[in-house]
């Protein structure tokens, strides 16, 4: 195994191209220009990775998770083709914070994975990714990292021209159609306006084979595995019958008195060669059983499993993901006043989405029939509908001859309705009113010291409706004070940071419309208050401007979210009776990371190793109980450790007339292991957490040849070795490879703009690809081959 590991790592470093590059210590000296790829900054900055707009044009997909899944250490949660959140080093949901310009977005994917992140990808300017804990900067929900989306809704700089316009029109064989535009201009010398809109629609997502994993129809696997039956959404008619071939004899006494004594088939077969006749007190021989097969175990082989039929809840069609439709649209408008040392602006953004999830559920569970014929169960498709409004305000001031260099104040208000539907029937809906405020004060740069100190507040009110609500009405309040200081001695640098948070969770236990389940269901719905302390320390040694070595340590804490504390009903979207526990304590994570990189002219190499120990790691555990079609699960906490590594390489070459090219590669590995001495956890979930990302390696080729730009990437996902349990042992998904490519041609348009024509190919191998970490892996693979063509106009 070790030889295989080092071979894969070495081959990815030596031969595989990459989308990633490490920033040079001396960024002014660039051997090759005009090739823009994902930039891994060599500064400390919490392993900050910046994804530019140019790179997004190549890797952008329908969801944020799928878009960022090309980056080492990050994978897609993959809840169907229309919903996917980033998974950073096996952590996601409530442990990875998604922000927009440093402010928390309405991200309910941590509460229910079928909700998508509230981000319009066509409006994104760039993305900053924090691959380690960013809790000092953004609070406890960034305990596993953060994704900060940069948009230009509120302009911060005067445009170079009076009018800037960008428009995109795209259509694909398996991605529907997309249209988007954005514009920016000036009203006067200091006033700037922005406006933009986007629209997307797709009817169906095609795949190379069947939607469901073939193992869903294996009688040996699903016959008596109720959890796998639920994951596959199948009804199985199975039973255990007496193995009549186990018994060498047939009881003559049972044959003679079958009706008289009401005997059963179990009484008919026997291991005894004789039987006793009470009428004369003598023993007589039993007849031999013609079906008898010798050598069987009397205990293990007493019964034989018999599977009579396996049927889908709803019949699916080959070559398509069921209920995979999607449509979305958005609009924004903003304005700013920009002076020499002061700017202030505001923006409004509206977004709507409606899409399907490849799963089915029951709108109303049938009651007991009391002997009458059971009515036919009608399974309906799960759909998601979201409508969001955002109000954004931002202002900043730059000082001169003052200990403070600048100050910035942000506000974002999010007002949304997020509904889970069965077909068009509303099963539940959450109305979210969220207010975020952030103040940042940047210190004047001293000889070797710079830093930022700030205050952040958040208020969120969630109210639920619908007859299948699994959460009561809740209120959350958070306030945090932080500081991050950077010491730069040229050849050696240090980061030191601290944050203190106070978090309140409140549930409304007086809401009579909310009916709780028979399980734990949030306990007493008690009020909870948490105090969180976050620490960050890092050091980096810059080696002759040719490389760097770094080490960093994070102590991070996270308060349980409202679903982990208060959930208490059937959550049909995940086919689970979800039970929160209002006595859960805060999570504590301690992470040590060691890394380094080499920058030799056109060659760059980097590698990172990390180890995290979690105390009170909160996870949704099986209880082994099921009610109707729902598995009963409870939020529990145990100790866990996470360790892994990432390695990257890239090489640039200027071939003159043959163009400028970059080739590189990556490899990543992560393991999430239980360290708790808990027999319950080992029985229900195993030594490893189930549904964990697999190891990967890949390569890419990026180049420019006159007016042509070419991008090719191949990612190979290995078969999972570190398997957990869902009561029964977890099944590994087969290994697969994804090949993507993009070719574009740019030309000037009458000297006042630029026209780009492009063609994109996704999953060009048309692989059946099932993500190990996807909760819907048995129901839905990744989309099949797609060819898109588009045109982009920039003026």
């Amino acid at each position: 195994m070790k030889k295989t590991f080092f071979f894969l790592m070495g081959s990815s470093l030596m031969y595989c191209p990459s989308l990633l590059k490490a920033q040079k210590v001396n960024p002014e000296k660039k051997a090759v220009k005009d090739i823009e790829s994902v930039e891994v900054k060599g500064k400390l900055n919490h392993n900050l990775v910046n994804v530019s707009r140019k790179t997004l044009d190549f890797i952008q997909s329908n969801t944020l998770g799928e878009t960022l899944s090309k980056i080492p250490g990050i994978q897609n949660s993959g809840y169907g083709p229309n919903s996917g959140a980033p998974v950073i080093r096996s952590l996601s949901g409530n442990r990875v914070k998604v922000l927009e310009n440093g402010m928390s977005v309405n991200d309910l994917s941590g509460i229910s994975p079928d909700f998508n992140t509230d981000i319009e990808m066509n409006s994104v300017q760039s993305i900053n990714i924090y691959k380690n804990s960013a809790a000092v900067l953004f609070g406890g929900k960034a305990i596993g990292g953060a994704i900060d989306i940069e948009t230009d809704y509120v302009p911060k700089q005067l445009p170079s021209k009076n009018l800037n316009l960008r428009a995109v029109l795209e259509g694909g064989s398996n991605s529907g159609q997309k249209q988007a535009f954005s514009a920016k201009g000036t009203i006067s010398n200091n006033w700037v306006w922005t406006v933009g809109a986007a629209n997307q629609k797709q009817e169906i997502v095609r795949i190379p084979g069947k939607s469901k994993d073939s193992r869903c129809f294996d009688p040996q696997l699903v016959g008596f595995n109720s959890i796998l039956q639920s994951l596959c959404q199948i009804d199985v008619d199975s039973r255990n019958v007496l193995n009549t071939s186990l018994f060498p004899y047939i009881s003559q006494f049972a044959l003679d008195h079958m009706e008289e004594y009401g005997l059963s088939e179990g009484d008919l077969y026997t291991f005894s060669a004789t039987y006793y006749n009470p009428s004369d007190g003598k023993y007589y021989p039993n007849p031999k059983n013609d079906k008898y097969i010798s050598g069987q175990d009397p205990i293990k082989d007493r019964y034989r499993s018999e599977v009579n039929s396996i049927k889908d809840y709803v019949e699916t069609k080959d070559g398509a993901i069921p209920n995979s439709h999607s449509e979305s649209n958005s609009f924004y408008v903003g304005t700013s006043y920009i002076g020499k040392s002061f700017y202030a602006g505001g923006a409004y953004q509206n977004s709507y989405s409606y899409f399907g999830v490849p799963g089915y559920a029951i709108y109303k569970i049938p009651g007991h029939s009391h002997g009458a014929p059971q009515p036919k169960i009608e399974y309906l498709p799960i759909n998601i509908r979201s409508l969001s409004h955002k109000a954004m305000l931002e202002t900043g001031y730059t000082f001169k001859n003052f200990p403070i260099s600048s100050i910035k104040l942000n506000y974002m208000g999010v007002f949304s309705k997020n509904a889970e539907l069965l077909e068009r029937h509303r099963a539940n809906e959450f109305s979210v009113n969220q207010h975020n405020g952030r103040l940042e004060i940047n210190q004047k740069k001293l000889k070797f010291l710079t830093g930022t100190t700030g205050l952040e507040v958040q208020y969120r009110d969630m109210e639920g409706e619908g007859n299948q609500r699994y959460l009561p009405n809740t209120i959350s309040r958070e306030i945090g004070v932080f500081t991050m200081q950077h010491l730069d001695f040229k050849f050696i640098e240090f980061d030191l940071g601290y944050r203190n948070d106070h978090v309140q969770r409140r549930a409304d236990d007086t809401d009579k419309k909310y009916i709780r389940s028979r399980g734990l269901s949030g306990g007493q719905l008690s009020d909870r208050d948490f105090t969180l302390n976050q620490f960050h320390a890092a050091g980096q040694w810059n080696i002759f401007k040719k490389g760097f070595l770094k080490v960093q340590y994070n102590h991070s804490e996270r308060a349980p979210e409202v679903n982990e504390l208060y959930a208490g009903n059937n959550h049909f979207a995940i086919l689970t009776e979800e039970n929160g526990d209002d006595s859960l304590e805060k999570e504590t994570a301690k992470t040590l990371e060691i890394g380094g990189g080499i920058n030799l002219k056109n060659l760059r190499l980097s590698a990172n190793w990390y180890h995290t120990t979690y105390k009170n790691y909160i996870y949704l555990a099986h209880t082994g109980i099921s009610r109707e079609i729902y598995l009963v699960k409870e939020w529990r906490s145990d100790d866990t450790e996470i360790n892994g590594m990432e390695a990257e390489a890239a090489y640039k070459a200027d071939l003159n007339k043959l163009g400028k090219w970059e080739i590189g590669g990556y490899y990543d590995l992560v393991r999430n292991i239980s360290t708790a001495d808990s027999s319950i956890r080992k029985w229900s979930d195993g030594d490893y957490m189930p549904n964990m990302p697999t190891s990967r390696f890949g390569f890419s080729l990026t180049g420019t040849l006159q007016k042509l730009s070419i991008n090719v990437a191949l990612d190979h996902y290995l078969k999972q070795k570190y398997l957990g349990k869902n009561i029964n042992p977890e099944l590994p998904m087969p290994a697969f490879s994804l090949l993507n490519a993009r070719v574009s041609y740019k030309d000037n348009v009458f000297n006042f703009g630029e026209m780009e024509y492009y063609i994109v190919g996704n999953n060009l191998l048309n692989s059946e690809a099932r993500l190990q970490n996807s909760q819907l892996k048995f129901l839905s693979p990744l989309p099949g081959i797609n060819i898109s063509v588009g045109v982009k106009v920039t003026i």
Side-chain angles (χ1 to χ4, degrees):
M1 186 179 78
K2 289 183 178 180
K3 290 182 178 180
T4 303
F5 171 80
F6 286 116
F7 169 77
L8 291 174
M9 190 181 80
S11 63
S12 67
L13 286 172
M14 295 171 62
Y15 302 113
C16 299
S18 174
L19 286 170
L20 301 179
K21 67 178 182 180
Q23 182 189 29
K24 298 188 176 193
V25 177
N26 185 2
E28 287 80 12
K29 297 181 180 180
K30 294 186 178 180
V32 182
K33 297 182 179 179
D34 300 326
I35 298 178
E36 186 174 3
S37 58
V38 177
E39 184 179 3
V40 180
K41 295 190 175 180
K43 301 293 183 182
L44 296 176
N45 279 332
H46 297 75
N47 279 354
L48 179 62
V49 178
N50 178 263
V51 186
S52 68
R53 179 68 250 181
K54 186 173 182 179
T55 303
L56 285 171
D57 287 337
F58 171 50
I59 65 175
Q60 180 176 323
S61 302
N62 285 341
T63 68
L64 181 62
E66 187 177 358
T67 296
L68 301 181
S69 66
K70 313 301 179 188
I71 297 171
I74 303 177
Q75 298 203 28
N76 178 24
S77 63
Y79 206 82
N82 303 313
S83 180
V87 180
I88 301 180
R89 296 175 173 176
S90 83
L91 302 175
S92 61
N94 297 323
R95 298 187 182 94
V96 173
K97 196 165 188 176
V98 180
L99 309 113
E100 188 173 318
N101 301 316
M103 308 296 290
S104 297
V105 302
N106 174 32
D107 180 14
L108 295 182
S109 63
I111 293 176
S112 186
D114 52 347
F115 285 117
N116 219 343
T117 51
D118 184 20
I119 296 293
E120 172 48 57
M121 293 302 300
N122 291 291
S123 302
V124 176
Q125 303 298 310
S126 65
I127 300 177
N128 289 319
I129 304 168
Y130 298 81
K131 292 168 67 174
N132 204 325
S133 170
V136 168
L137 294 177
F138 304 118
K141 289 186 70 173
I143 193 171
I147 309 293
D148 190 8
I149 313 295
E150 293 186 355
T151 62
D152 201 22
Y153 298 151
V154 180
K156 303 176 186 63
Q157 294 179 337
L158 292 169
S160 57
K161 298 184 293 185
N162 291 333
L163 176 64
N164 295 267
L165 176 66
R166 180 177 180 269
V168 177
L169 178 64
E170 181 182 309
S173 63
N174 197 23
S175 60
Q177 54 180 325
K178 304 174 185 177
Q179 308 89 32
F181 87 93
S182 61
K184 180 192 293 186
T186 56
I187 302 174
S188 63
N189 290 337
N190 297 99
W191 281 101
V192 183
W193 58 267
T194 61
V195 65
N199 180 67
Q200 175 272 335
K201 188 171 184 178
Q202 184 171 5
E203 297 294 337
I204 194 170
V205 176
R206 297 177 180 84
I207 52 177
K210 296 180 181 294
S211 177
K212 292 188 179 181
D213 190 296
S214 60
R215 289 172 292 185
C216 290
F217 303 96
D218 185 342
Q220 300 297 322
L221 292 175
V222 303
F224 296 89
N225 187 335
S226 60
I227 293 176
L228 188 55
Q229 292 173 17
S230 177
L231 293 173
C232 290
Q233 296 213 321
I234 53 175
D235 285 320
V236 178
D237 178 12
S238 61
R239 60 176 182 165
N240 286 316
V241 297
L242 186 68
N243 178 15
T244 58
S245 67
L246 176 67
F247 304 94
Y249 302 99
I250 297 175
S251 172
Q252 185 64 48
F253 180 84
L255 287 173
D256 296 338
H257 303 280
M258 181 71 72
E259 295 184 5
E260 181 182 353
Y261 294 131
L263 302 178
S264 65
E265 186 183 36
D267 301 308
L268 190 60
Y269 295 91
T270 180
F271 292 102
S272 177
T274 61
Y275 75 96
Y276 176 73
N277 189 343
S279 61
D280 58 9
K282 294 182 179 181
Y283 286 90
Y284 294 93
N286 280 320
K288 292 183 179 181
N289 179 12
D290 295 336
K291 301 177 182 178
Y292 173 68
I293 299 175
S294 62
Q296 300 184 75
D297 189 299
I299 298 176
K300 293 182 179 180
D301 298 326
R302 188 174 185 84
Y303 292 96
R304 186 182 69 251
S305 300
E306 186 177 274
V307 178
N308 297 320
S309 66
I310 302 174
K311 296 181 180 179
D312 291 314
Y313 286 177
V314 176
E315 187 176 353
T316 60
K317 296 181 180 179
D318 294 351
I321 298 177
N323 198 42
S324 54
H325 65 89
S326 66
E327 59 181 279
S328 63
N329 55 69
S330 67
F331 168 79
Y332 74 88
V333 60
T335 185
S336 292
Y337 173 84
I338 302 174
K340 291 184 178 180
S341 59
F342 171 79
Y343 78 94
Y348 164 79
Q349 195 245 355
N350 165 283
S351 61
Y352 168 83
S353 64
Y354 173 68
F355 59 85
V357 175
Y360 297 85
I362 303 171
Y363 185 67
K364 185 177 181 181
I365 297 174
H368 293 290
S369 59
H370 302 290
Q374 184 73 24
K376 182 180 178 181
I377 297 177
E378 184 179 9
Y379 293 95
L380 300 176
I382 300 171
N383 294 312
I384 304 298
R385 184 179 62 211
S386 297
L387 176 63
S388 175
H389 304 271
K390 294 180 189 173
M392 292 160 274
L393 300 173
E394 184 174 332
T395 182
Y397 187 83
T398 302
F399 295 88
K400 292 183 179 180
N401 303 318
F402 196 70
I404 297 174
S405 65
S406 65
I407 186 170
K408 186 173 74 169
L409 179 63
N410 288 66
Y411 164 81
M412 178 185 288
V414 180
F415 313 94
S416 66
K417 290 185 179 293
N418 312 272
E420 292 178 311
L421 313 172
L422 284 175
E423 206 166 53
R424 290 282 180 174
H425 306 288
R426 185 184 67 177
N428 61 68
E429 180 177 85
F430 294 112
S431 297
V432 178
N433 293 332
Q434 180 173 301
H435 302 272
N436 309 304
R438 184 179 178 92
L439 172 68
E440 291 184 5
I441 301 172
N442 296 307
Q443 301 157 205
K444 195 80 172 181
K445 184 176 182 180
L446 299 177
K447 187 175 182 180
F448 54 80
L449 177 66
T450 58
T452 299
T453 300
L455 170 71
E456 187 172 16
V457 295
Q458 179 176 313
Y459 172 86
R460 185 187 66 200
D461 183 354
M462 287 180 57
E463 293 188 0
E465 297 181 19
N467 62 354
Q468 291 206 26
R469 284 172 58 190
Y470 54 92
L471 274 175
N473 297 335
T474 62
I475 291 176
S476 295
R477 302 181 183 92
E478 302 182 21
I479 181 169
V481 180
F482 66 93
T483 184
M484 181 67 75
Q485 301 296 315
H486 180 71
L487 295 87
D488 189 348
F489 300 101
K490 293 185 179 180
F491 73 94
I492 191 167
E493 302 175 61
F494 297 100
D495 269 353
L496 296 172
Y498 171 73
R499 181 184 181 112
N500 180 263
D501 287 302
H502 294 274
V503 179
Q504 292 182 341
R505 306 285 191 224
R506 300 290 186 263
D508 182 3
D509 59 357
T510 64
D511 185 1
K512 304 301 181 183
K513 295 182 180 180
Y514 174 60
I515 301 174
R516 299 161 67 182
S517 68
R518 290 177 285 169
L520 182 61
S521 63
Q524 302 301 314
L525 302 183
S526 306
D527 294 347
R528 297 300 308 275
D529 294 87
F530 302 91
T531 299
L532 310 178
N533 293 288
Q534 325 287 357
F535 301 95
H536 171 77
Q540 178 169 303
W541 176 31
N542 299 318
I543 308 170
F544 306 114
K545 298 182 180 181
K546 299 297 183 182
F548 63 91
L549 293 174
K550 65 179 180 180
V551 60
Q552 59 179 308
Y553 173 80
N554 289 285
H555 173 100
S556 310
E557 298 177 351
R558 180 182 75 89
E561 251 296 357
V562 292
N563 61 317
E564 297 165 337
L565 292 171
Y566 303 128
N569 215 325
N570 293 332
H571 188 173
F572 74 87
I574 58 175
L575 294 177
T576 296
E577 182 189 301
E578 183 179 351
N579 288 279
D581 183 352
D582 63 349
S583 66
L584 289 172
E585 296 298 329
K586 64 183 179 182
E587 286 184 343
T588 301
K590 299 178 181 180
T591 302
L592 175 66
E593 181 165 354
I594 300 173
I598 298 174
N599 298 299
L600 299 173
K601 198 175 181 179
N602 296 336
L603 175 67
R604 294 175 305 279
L605 304 172
S606 65
N608 292 281
W609 170 88
Y610 55 89
H611 176 83
T612 302
T613 58
Y614 261 96
K615 182 180 179 181
N616 298 326
Y617 182 91
I618 299 172
Y619 65 102
L620 191 57
H622 287 274
T623 64
I625 302 171
S626 62
R627 299 191 181 105
E628 288 86 23
I629 67 167
Y630 293 97
L631 303 173
V632 180
K633 296 184 181 181
E634 294 178 351
W635 286 102
R636 299 174 183 164
S637 63
D638 270 318
D639 294 345
T640 293
E641 72 174 28
I642 299 171
N643 53 68
M645 66 165 297
E646 295 154 15
E648 306 168 46
Y651 179 80
K652 282 186 176 182
D654 187 345
L655 303 180
N656 298 317
K657 292 183 179 181
L658 296 179
K660 300 171 182 179
W661 300 89
E662 177 178 287
I663 186 171
Y666 76 90
Y667 175 82
D668 61 11
L669 164 92
V670 62
R671 292 183 296 180
N672 192 316
I673 309 168
S674 171
T675 57
D677 186 16
S678 170
S679 58
I680 294 179
R681 175 166 174 174
K682 291 181 179 179
W683 168 77
S684 63
D685 298 278
D687 293 326
Y688 296 95
M689 286 300 297
N691 301 319
M692 285 293 105
T694 60
S695 300
R696 304 176 300 173
F697 66 87
F699 70 85
S700 68
L701 176 67
T702 303
T704 58
L705 181 61
Q706 296 182 359
K707 294 183 179 182
L708 282 176
S709 294
I710 300 170
N711 302 80
V712 181
L714 176 66
D715 301 278
H716 182 72
Y717 291 69
L718 302 175
K719 186 177 180 180
Q720 182 63 280
K721 294 181 179 179
Y722 311 107
L723 297 167
K725 294 174 65 178
N726 295 300
I727 305 296
N728 299 295
E730 183 182 14
L731 295 177
M733 294 293 109
F736 62 88
S737 297
L738 297 176
L739 177 63
N740 301 315
R742 184 180 191 267
V743 179
S744 66
Y745 175 83
K746 288 184 179 180
D747 199 6
N748 293 329
V749 182
F750 305 118
N751 296 320
F752 67 86
E754 185 179 71
M755 187 83 75
E756 180 182 13
Y757 308 91
Y758 62 88
I759 180 169
V760 179
N762 302 110
N763 194 4
L764 291 172
L765 302 177
N766 207 24
S767 302
E768 181 178 318
R770 298 182 185 272
L771 297 172
Q772 184 71 35
N773 56 283
S774 171
Q775 295 186 49
L776 298 182
K777 56 193 172 188
F778 290 102
L779 298 179
S780 170
L782 296 179
I785 187 171
N786 171 61
I787 305 296
S788 299
V789 294
V791 60
K792 179 167 63 176
V793 181
T794 304
I795 299 176

